[in-house]
Structure formats: structure tokens, C-alpha cells
Amino acid sequence: MLGLELYELPLFFALQGVALYAVLAGADFGAGIWQLLAGRGEQGRRIREHAHRSMAPVWEANHVWLIFVLVVVWTGYPLAFSSMASTLAVALTAAGLGIVLRGVAYALRSASAGDTELRAVDTLTAVGSVMAPFALAAAAGAIASQRVPVGNAAGELWSSWLNPTSIMAGVLALLASAYLAAVYLAADARRAGDEAMAALFRTRALVAGSVAGVAAIAGGLVVRSDARWIFDRLVDTPAVFSVGLSLLAGVGTLVLVLRWHLGAARVSAAVAVAALVGGWALAQNPLLLPGLTVREAAAPDNVQTLLVISILAGGLILFPSLALLFRLVLRGAFQAEPVIERGAPLTGPSSGLAATLTATRLAGACFAIGAIFLVLGDSAWPHAIGVAALGAFIVLGLSALAGEDSRE
Amino acid sequence: MFDPVQQSYLLEARQMQALSFAVHIPLVCFGIAFPAMVMRAEWLWMRTGDEVYRVLAMRWTKVMVALFACGVVTGTILSFEMGLLWPGFMGTFGAVFGLGFALEGFSFFVEAIFIGIYVYGWNRMSPRAHFISGIPIVVAGLTGSLFVISVNAWMNDPGGFTLTPDGTVTDIDPIEALFGNGHLAYQLIHMYLAGFIVAGFLVAAAYAVGRLRGRWGRYERIALTIPLTVAALAAPVQLLVGDWAAREVAKSQPTKLAALEGVGHTERGAPLHLLGWYSDGKVKAGIPIPKGLSLLAFHDPNAEVQGLDAVAAKDRPPVNVVRIAFQLMVAIGTFLAALSAWYLYARTRRKRVPSGVWFYRLLVVAGPASVVALISGWVTTEVGRQPWVVYEVMRTEAAVTAADGIAVGYGTLAAFFACLIAAVAWILRRLARAPMKTYEEPERALGEG
């Protein structure tokens, strides 16, 4: 498939997951960063509110990409996964705690009222939104700079992810997240007809994009001196094409934002981030960790086959569902004025007393049958019958007790 | 490459994992069961056109989404910990059971996507479309449980691979490992029912508190009966499923059964002991029921029950922890089933909810007690499997990380979780106190403000 070997396919899908996580969760974290920088007063409040509303319906789905990446890597490349997770324990703990802050802040916001509370909650979101992308990108920098050896916590717990390359990766991730978020929030505001907010985030996108561009070039120099191996491969074929595409898309996004083509800028900003992930993958290939190739790290072929089938089958459910969610969000369906439709006219309980009595008796009979088969049965078939009868008991019971008892 | 290490923090690593589970699993119960309860209220609204049901469903939706968010992030921590704490386990067996989590990942995706649509789609889609958008959440709750439990069942009954003498894993068959497993069926049903019991009794307990304080109108009565009906139907079934589970454990994990019941020496016609504690190979100060254990576990009063002495001392779990957790779970489960019978009797025979104040006092206790039973159940099965992480294949100490500083990570995580629990308590209190919108003007939109 796609000219890839079977043993590479799960990694290929995992990298798609990394790119999607970087783009989608990156925009979410970026929105949190803009909440931190929103300033005080009425305008600050409106910026924070806009950042929250844009991300609220999608943030959970966006974060699941990280889980997807973890489970595919630990199934397809268990030795590499356990080496990475054990050496990068501190970085991953920091990332995990950042994600906890993000989620708890989201939950808290639904119950918060008043500007003081909302500001406190948004600050919590922002702290999480800085911790998580920084730590995750620093962990990626650790892998790229060959600081994660094979083995149980065989590398340095701290300096593996707090070194020039990792710190540069972390800072770049924060800037790229802010850039992505600003582009998306500008486009969202414009769609909602809030031109003032769109202009605010357009300016932020231009600033963040320019700073990110400068940081990327400076970062290149850092990597050149700190991790020469990966640098040489990043500027060599084939990785250089992907890295070049990333730079091109990054600059192109600036031009698009400048000309108010915000819809197109959404796409090109995503391409810039995804191409950078692709460039890193091409530069590392075929090495996953020092001395461990992708082929050596891969689980046996039959496991990889099952994993690929599962991913493809899961994708058949996932992508239409995601498309539905994003279509609703991008169409602004969730920000429209609520329409109160009445339910069906009052028909009263549809089942009479006689039907309820029958359901009650049938439920009792099912419980008795289920109990006999499940308790006295000693093999799979009687147990299956028992479970089915007990399931019927619950369903019949729910139907018999659906009505409202008028007396107290 | 993953040779066992001397890890002085093994106990801290196990406690850190246990703490994360203890925080996550009650939230999972709400992920499994609460959407179904919200949708039952919504369905009643669609069928009767009675606004009280919609107001209820919309208020519950706010609670559902806040708890789901906390479940998402605590679940993320758990998936990190698999690698952070147990790289030996993941590195050796990831290819065997990992597929279960890969499939669970897609369930999780579906849940997260449709929860977004359901929550923000209230009053912005046709009632029918909105109701349909909730169905995948309920289905994903079931499939997600299936895939996660398939991994735990495999840890109890490891199959689908061959271990060579040098410790490498070959002949891997993930389908056989995950789904050809004798423990999957009862473990899944036991946990799935537990989800409805815990969520149901906790929500009902909240309204029982209100009733004892005099908040009791039509809205409150409906809000109490929906979760309580579900939980009351599940609790008696859970007793039967629990009995089935214990007999399966007796068959395939005799050492775990011996720890559950405090059986020191192999014997025929073994008695069942209630209460007491285990010391020097027998239960002290317990109430014995002659031949009870042989009868319950093997349906034969004279059946032989294997004692703890059948395995070396280093291969035995800590008996009192396991036994007390097990007895607690069984006692609470029986209490919940009895309370359920009371409720079902009143509803079916007297056509009303129970009126006595004591029913509501006991219901207030039942909510938290159901969580205690849930955690006790997991302690029973997880500590009961010790010292093995993969039963009779890999010892827990061979799975643990070689990294230092686990105690620091444990302390930090515990502090974060304490804040998370406080935050959840604050959110629930706030949402409960939010002014009730009249039935004619439902709340404008969820998640705004």
C-alpha cells in the first residue's frame, strides 16, 4: 500500500495522527495561549469568550488523536514505545498534567459565572495549553536528537527532553499553535459576522506567524549545532522537500491572511504543520530509535495486518463522524440561535395498565429463568441463555416502569 | 532488553496506578450509563411532549459533559501510565493485547465526536436528529468497555502467544488473546452493569438528599426515578453475575479464590466465612458456614478447594486486602439489591415510589456505597492477581520502570487529582443550584456563559 511495507504502515498512520493532533489540538492549545494574552477589560473578556466558544464542541475529539497515536505505536512497535515512554517519563507526565488542566478547566467553565471566575478558569486553560504542547514537542525533540536509547528508562530522565533541540522544538510548537489558533479564530469570527474580532485575530496571526518563521530559522541553527545527524538528514533528500513545503505553506499562509483569504489560510496553515511532521519522519527513516530500525521494532506481520485492518475499519466510522462534526461547527450550526421546537403533542402514556402488568409479570419470569440458568449452568450455553434472560428482565422492567406514578 | 530491574518504588508505582484507576473508573461509569439516562429523559419528552423531561435532559447534559471531560483527561493519564510505569509489560506484550486498545481508541473517538454534537446541538437540530446523535455515545460506551475489559481479561487468563525459554513472545494471535478468553464475558457484564448501578445510585442519591431537605416536586420525583429504575433493575442481576464471576475465578484462578475466602490449606467441604480476618493460614473471628464455599464455588458440598499453601509464599497475593475488599463488595452489592427490591416492589405493587423517610436515608448511603463497591471489586481482581501482572506469566516487578523518582510523580499526580475531585464537587454543586428555567423558556444554550 502506497509503496510502503507492511511493517511501516501502522507507523505511517500514527504519523498522520501526530500531524492531525499537532494541527487540531495545536489550534486548541493555541486558543488557550491567546486567552492568556487576552488582556483585561471588555475586549479581553470577548477574546477569551470567542476562543472558548470556537473550540468547545471539538476539543475532546481533537485530543483523541493523541490516544490514537499512543495505542497504534504501543501495539505496532511495543519495544520502541516502552523505551520512549520510560525515558521520557518526566516530559510525558508534564504533558499529561497539562492535558488534565485543559480538561478540568473546560468542565469548570460550564459551571462558572462572573468575570473573575471565568478569568481564573481561562488562566487554568492557558497554563495547561502551554505545558502540554511544550512537553510533547520537547519529547519529540528528544527522539529526533537521538537521546532516547532502547531499553527500560535507559536514557536521561531530564536532559533527554531539556536540551537545545528539545527546548527549540517546544518553543516552536507554542508559536505554531498560537499561529494556527489565530488563523482559525479569525476565520471563525468572520464567519460569525464579528469583523472586529476577525481583525484582532488576523493581526495576531500575522505577528505569531512572523515570529514562528524567525524562530524556525533560528531553530534550524540550534539543531545544526546540537543534533547534527538529524539536521543533515532534514536538509537532504527526501526530507528537504517536505521541510521546504512546510516553509512555503507557512509563508503562503501569511500572504493569505494578509489578503483576508481566511478559509484558504486554515488549510495552508495545517499543511505547514503537517509537512514539518512529515519532514521529521522522512529524516529519521528508517531509524526509529538509535540502533533500532522501524523493521526491527515492528510487531510480527499478522499483528501489523490486524492493526492495519482495524485502523482502516475504524476510519470508515471515524471520518464520516468527524466530517459531520466539523461540518456542523464550520457551518456555525452550534452558534445559531436556539430554536425551540415542541415535542409531539401530549398523547399520554401509550401503554395501558394491562400492558404494564403483563410486562411486569414477564420481567419477573425472565429474572427467574435467568437466575436458574446463570447460577446452575456450568458451561457457556446455559450462561448465554441466563444472560439473555436477565437482559430481557432489565429491558422489560424499563418498559414497565417508564410511566410516571402520579401518587407519591 | 527488558530485563527485570530492582525497583525500590514498586509499591509507589502500583499505588499511583491504583489511584489513577480509582479516580477514572467512577467517571467511566458516568460515561457508560449517564448518556442513556439523559436520552431516556429526552425520549420521554419526545413521546409525551412534556417540557419537564426536556428541562431535566438539558440540565443533566451539562453534568454529563463536565464529567465526560474529566473522564477524558484522567483516561489520558492512564494511557500514559501504561508506558511510564510499566514499560516491561508494554514492551513484552504490547503486540499481544495492544489491538484491544487500538479498537477502544475508535470507540473513544466516536464517543467524543457525538458528545460534541449532542451537547451543542440541543435546540439547534430537529428533536429526532438530536436524539439520534446521542445513540452512538451509548453504543460506544458498550464497545469501549468491551475492548478495555478484553485486555484485563487477557491479563487474568493470558493466551494467544507462546513464551520461549529466553523470554521472547512468539506465535502471537491477538484475536485469540483478546476475544477467545473465558473471562471476557463475565468481566464485561459485571463492569457494564456496575456502570449503571454506580451512576444510577449516585444521581438518585443526590435527589434523595434534596427530598430529605424538602425539595420534592414533580421534577425531582422524575429526576430520581429515571436513574433509580435503571440501577434497581441492574443491582439484583449484578448479584447473579457476581456469583458466576466467582465460580469462573474458582475454576481458573484458584489462588485468587483462596485469597478471596481466606483458605489457607487445601480442603474438601470448605466452609464460607463471613467477616473476620486472615492470619496463620485461617480466618479468625469469622462466622463460618459449613461447606458453604465448596457449595457456592463448585455446586458440591464436598468439593475440594485449593488453599493458598498450594503455591509458594512468594506467589500469593496479600490475603487480607483482597479478602476485605471482596467482602465489602459483596456486602454492599447485597445491600443495593435489597434496596432495589424495596423500590421495585413499591413501583410495581403500590404504583408509587416508596414514601418512608428511611428509604431515602438508605438511598443517600447507597450512592457513595456503590462507588466503594466498585473500587473494592477492582481491588479484588487486581490485587488478587498479584504478584502477577500477567497471570502466571509475568510478575509485576518485571513490568515496572527503571526510572527514579516515581514517588515524586506519585505525589504530584495525587495533588492534581485532589484538585480535580474538588473541582468536580464544585461543578456539581454549582450546576445543581443553577436556577430552574421555566418549562416554556428552556436554557438558551449549553456551554455558554
Side-chain angles (χ1 to χ4, degrees), chain A residues 49 52-53 56-57 59-61 63-68 70-71 74-75 78-79 81-83 85-86 88-89 92-93 95-97 99-101 103-104 106-113 117-118 131 136 150-153 157 299-300 302-303 306-307 310-311 314-315 317-318 321-322 324-325 328 333-350 353 356-357 360 367 370-371 374-378 383 387 390 393-394 397-399 401-408, chain B residues 1-3 5 40 43-49 51 53-54 62 65-66 68-70 72-73 76-77 79-80 82-84 87-88 90-91 94-95 97-99 101-103 105-106 108-110 112-117 120-121 123-127 172-175 189 193 211 216 218 221-222 229-230 233-234 236-237 240-241 243-244 247-248 251 299 343-344 347-348 350-355 360 400-404 412-413 416-417 420 423 426-427 430-431 440 442 444 447-449:
Chain A
E49 192 61 32
H52 169 73
R53 276 205 204 181
W59 82 270
E60 277 157 338
H63 278 267
V64 184
W65 285 109
L66 179 62
I67 306 291
F68 171 82
L70 290 178
V71 298
W74 83 38
T75 309
L79 183 60
F81 173 79
S82 48
S83 303
S86 56
L88 297 171
L92 292 179
T93 303
L97 295 177
I99 291 169
V100 168
L101 287 181
V104 172
Y106 169 83
L108 280 169
R109 210 176 199 282
S110 67
S112 298
E117 276 179 25
L118 287 175
M131 277 170 76
L136 287 172
V150 175
N152 186 346
L157 283 179
N302 66 322
V303 176
L306 277 171
L307 184 56
S310 306
I311 293 170
I317 299 170
L318 171 63
S321 308
L322 268 182
L324 176 66
L325 175 66
L328 288 168
F334 294 154
Q335 298 198 343
E337 277 301 305
V339 179
I340 310 299
E341 287 195 45
R342 302 215 60 95
L346 249 170
T347 52
S350 58
L353 185 66
T356 306
L357 269 180
T360 308
F367 186 81
L374 194 60
V375 173
L376 299 182
D378 249 342
H383 287 161
V387 167
L390 291 169
F393 158 74
I394 292 178
L398 286 174
S399 125
L401 298 177
E404 184 191 350
D405 287 325
S406 51
R407 279 189 300 149
E408 205 238 290
Chain B
M1 262 176 279
F2 269 87
D3 295 328
V5 289
R40 187 168 162 90
W43 177 74
L44 288 168
W45 167 62
M46 287 168 65
R47 217 190 61 172
T48 64
E51 279 294 315
Y53 291 114
R54 170 156 65 178
K62 282 199 168 195
V65 70
F68 187 76
C70 294
V72 169
V73 296
T76 304
I77 290 285
S79 61
F80 276 26
M82 300 284 286
L84 295 185
M90 300 304 294
F97 66 77
L99 190 71
F101 284 114
L103 294 168
F106 284 103
F108 187 18
F109 253 130
V110 168
I113 290 167
F114 284 94
I115 248 184
I117 295 176
Y120 293 93
N123 302 329
R124 290 174 171 131
M125 303 158 82
S126 76
I172 297 173
D173 180 352
I175 299 289
I189 296 167
L193 287 175
R211 183 185 151 115
W216 191 248
R218 177 159 178 262
R221 195 174 64 244
I222 290 170
T229 302
V230 174
L233 289 166
V237 174
L240 302 172
V241 174
D243 171 69
W244 172 28
R247 278 182 286 125
E248 295 294 330
K251 256 188 270 178
H299 289 161
Y343 171 75
L344 293 176
R347 282 296 306 273
T348 54
R350 304 215 171 140
K351 303 289 167 214
R352 60 172 169 75
V353 293
S355 53
Y360 295 93
V400 74
T401 177
D404 289 328
T412 313
L413 188 75
F416 266 72
F417 279 165
L420 181 138
W426 184 83
I427 292 165
R430 222 356 134 63
L431 291 179
E440 291 312 311
R444 207 177 146 268
E448 294 179 8

Side-chain angles (χ1 to χ4, degrees), chain B residues 55-104:
Chain B
V55 173
L56 178 63
M58 288 186 65
R59 286 175 71 91
W60 276 358
T61 300
K62 282 199 168 195
V63 176
M64 175 176 87
V65 70
L67 294 178
F68 187 76
C70 294
V72 169
V73 296
T74 51
T76 304
I77 290 285
L78 277 179
S79 61
F80 276 26
E81 282 175 344
M82 300 284 286
L84 295 185
L85 295 177
W86 315 108
F89 173 59
M90 300 304 294
T92 311
F93 293 107
V96 182
F97 66 77
L99 190 71
F101 284 114
L103 294 168
E104 198 276 335

Side-chain angles (χ1 to χ4, degrees), chain B residues 102 104 125 167 216 219 228 240 305 327 360 388 408:
Chain B
E104 198 276 335
M125 303 158 82
W216 191 248
Y219 173 89
L228 186 54
L240 302 172
V305 177
Q327 298 230 342
Y360 295 93
W388 306 100
V408 178

Side-chain angles (χ1 to χ4, degrees), chain A residues 352-372:
Chain A
L353 185 66
T356 306
L357 269 180
T358 316
T360 308
R361 288 197 184 122
L362 262 178
C366 283
F367 186 81
I369 294 169
I372 290 166

Side-chain angles (χ1 to χ4, degrees), chain B residues 116-406:
Chain B
I117 295 176
Y118 186 84
V119 170
Y120 293 93
W122 262 113
N123 302 329
R124 290 174 171 131
M125 303 158 82
S126 76
R128 181 190 294 265
H130 184 256
F131 182 80
I132 291 171
S133 77
I135 294 172
I137 309 173
V138 178
V139 174
L142 175 61
T143 56
S145 310
L146 166 69
F147 297 131
V148 171
I149 294 291
S150 73
V151 177
N152 191 262
W154 172 83
M155 290 160 72
N156 280 322
D157 185 13
F161 66 94
T162 310
L163 204 60
T164 59
D166 67 341
T168 44
V169 174
T170 58
D171 301 332
I172 297 173
D173 180 352
I175 299 289
E176 167 67 21
L178 296 169
F179 305 111
N181 185 302
H183 289 239
L184 174 58
Y186 79 81
Q187 275 197 263
L188 171 65
I189 296 167
H190 206 42
M191 179 60 211
Y192 194 64
L193 287 175
F196 283 88
I197 292 170
V198 169
F201 276 113
L202 273 178
V203 176
Y207 291 98
V209 170
R211 183 185 151 115
L212 292 174
R213 289 180 180 167
R215 280 198 302 276
W216 191 248
R218 177 159 178 262
Y219 173 89
E220 286 79 10
R221 195 174 64 244
I222 290 170
L224 180 130
T225 50
I226 289 176
L228 186 54
T229 302
V230 174
L233 289 166
V237 174
Q238 187 74 306
L239 278 192
L240 302 172
V241 174
D243 171 69
W244 172 28
R247 278 182 286 125
E248 295 294 330
V249 168
K251 256 188 270 178
S252 67
Q253 295 185 312
T255 309
K256 189 188 272 185
L257 182 83
L260 297 184
E261 304 287 357
V263 181
H265 311 287
T266 303
E267 58 185 310
R268 294 190 160 278
L272 187 73
H273 287 93
L274 305 178
L275 304 175
W277 68 92
Y278 179 87
S279 161
D280 298 331
K282 49 181 170 292
V283 175
K284 302 265 170 73
I287 305 161
I289 299 172
K291 304 193 188 239
L293 180 56
S294 290
L295 190 62
L296 268 183
F298 299 99
H299 289 161
D300 169 3
N302 295 312
E304 183 177 278
V305 177
Q306 184 181 312
L308 287 157
D309 61 357
V311 296
K314 68 175 175 51
D315 291 341
R316 295 175 202 163
V319 178
N320 276 318
V321 175
V322 178
R323 187 168 175 274
I324 290 169
F326 177 68
Q327 298 230 342
L328 200 57
M329 171 185 73
V330 173
I332 293 172
T334 309
F335 159 65
L336 296 177
L339 200 62
S340 300
W342 183 349
Y343 171 75
L344 293 176
Y345 177 81
R347 282 296 306 273
T348 54
R349 292 285 143 160
R350 304 215 171 140
K351 303 289 167 214
R352 60 172 169 75
V353 293
S355 53
V357 69
W358 270 102
F359 178 80
Y360 295 93
R361 285 182 184 151
L362 289 175
L363 194 52
V364 172
V365 176
S370 69
V371 179
V372 173
L374 174 80
I375 305 293
S376 302
W378 278 102
V379 168
T380 303
T381 189
E382 290 299 290
V383 181
R385 197 189 52 240
Q386 302 301 321
W388 306 100
V389 63
V390 182
Y391 189 59
E392 291 184 336
V393 175
M394 177 182 259
R395 300 177 79 88
T396 310
E397 68 228 36
V400 74
T401 177
D404 289 328
I406 290 174

